[in-house]
Amino acid sequence: MKKPKRARAAKAKRGPKTSASRSKAAPMRAARHSAKPARRGASDGGATENAKTIRDLRGKLKAALLRVAELEAAADTDFLLEIPNRRGFERELVRAIAYMKRYRASGALIVLDVDRLKPINDSFGHAAGDEVLKAIAATLTRQVRASDVVGRLGGDEFALLLWNLSETDAQAKAAALEQAIDELSFSFRGQGVTAGASAGVALLGAQSDAGRALEEADAAMYVRKARRRHEPRIRLVSS
């Protein structure tokens, strides 16, 4: 079957494909094919760089968050005794009362003041006073449960947050803490020294307020301290 005249005329006009035209077309096709992988490679490189940047930023964020946590912990911790300071203890007390309000739990707050720390500082120096404070903090920590909180409100004043204690149990616990501290003895410059402590109690419950509870326990502590004033201000016994 013969081709139509019109198709033959168009083919004749284009002319036959030569080796020169084929050689020109081949590099163009090769260039188009080679350009596509190059674009994919650049895209992959950018994605890798972005992923690395994200990992670096996440690492820096994690380090920054850890540093913030360390600074917050330091701000809430007494540097000498390594227990909560006033700021840290008050924060724990507020949290505890919020828990008590929600779950109808109860507890007790004990404020304890060292009776004879100033005479010890005056007689033997502040290094001796620091040793006494460290021993008292360790004694208080041993006397409570892991769920309880022992803090230093400042100077020679401590506070304890105790969970699930009745008034009778809280008063008995305060007396036991006083006795444990009264029984501590120290030796400075060849002389035996005792300190002693007075404790006041405030009960905690769903209706408690942190500030008022601290004031109540503090007032009870001063009443207790007044009753102990007949005891020696400081006892020195030659070794």
Side-chain angles (χ1 to χ4, degrees), residues 134-217:
K134 289 178 181 178
I136 290 174
T139 299
L140 294 176
T141 302
R142 287 195 301 269
Q143 294 285 328
V144 300
R145 298 158 295 185
S147 58
D148 300 329
V149 181
V150 177
R152 183 186 183 189
L153 299 182
D156 56 0
E157 193 170 58
F158 294 82
L160 298 93
L161 169 61
L162 310 174
W163 288 91
N164 300 322
L165 289 184
S166 66
E167 182 175 5
T168 300
D169 291 338
Q171 294 292 349
K173 190 63 176 179
L177 294 173
E178 286 182 351
Q179 181 178 355
I181 295 173
D182 287 345
E183 292 174 353
L184 292 176
S185 61
F186 307 88
S187 179
F188 302 121
R189 299 176 191 169
Q191 294 178 305
V193 180
T194 61
S198 302
V201 176
L203 297 181
L204 300 173
Q207 305 304 318
S208 295
D209 173 80
R212 287 198 298 271
L214 282 168
E215 291 175 359
E216 182 181 343

Side-chain angles (χ1 to χ4, degrees), residues 78-108:
D78 184 271
F79 73 95
L80 175 66
L81 306 181
E82 298 183 348
I83 59 176
N85 56 18
R86 176 179 284 273
R87 181 177 183 268
F89 185 84
E90 288 182 349
R91 177 178 293 182
E92 292 297 323
L93 181 59
V94 169
R95 289 175 178 172
I97 291 176
Y99 181 92
M100 293 174 188
K101 289 179 179 178
R102 182 171 182 178
Y103 296 103
R104 300 293 175 181
S106 63

Side-chain angles (χ1 to χ4, degrees), residues 51-137:
K52 181 179 182 301
T53 301
I54 291 172
R55 287 195 300 271
D56 291 343
L57 290 174
R58 284 176 176 170
K60 291 178 180 178
L61 177 60
K62 183 178 180 180
L65 292 174
L66 288 174
R67 181 57 178 162
V68 169
E70 290 173 356
L71 291 174
E72 287 180 344
D76 289 346
T77 303
D78 184 271
F79 73 95
L80 175 66
L81 306 181
E82 298 183 348
I83 59 176
N85 56 18
R86 176 179 284 273
R87 181 177 183 268
F89 185 84
E90 288 182 349
R91 177 178 293 182
E92 292 297 323
L93 181 59
V94 169
R95 289 175 178 172
I97 291 176
Y99 181 92
M100 293 174 188
K101 289 179 179 178
R102 182 171 182 178
Y103 296 103
R104 300 293 175 181
S106 63
L109 171 66
I110 297 177
V111 170
L112 185 144
D113 190 78
V114 183
D115 287 336
R116 296 183 288 275
L117 185 64
K118 187 178 185 303
I120 292 173
N121 283 332
D122 293 343
S123 299
F124 305 106
H126 287 278
D130 289 348
E131 184 177 334
V132 171
L133 289 173
K134 289 178 181 178
I136 290 174

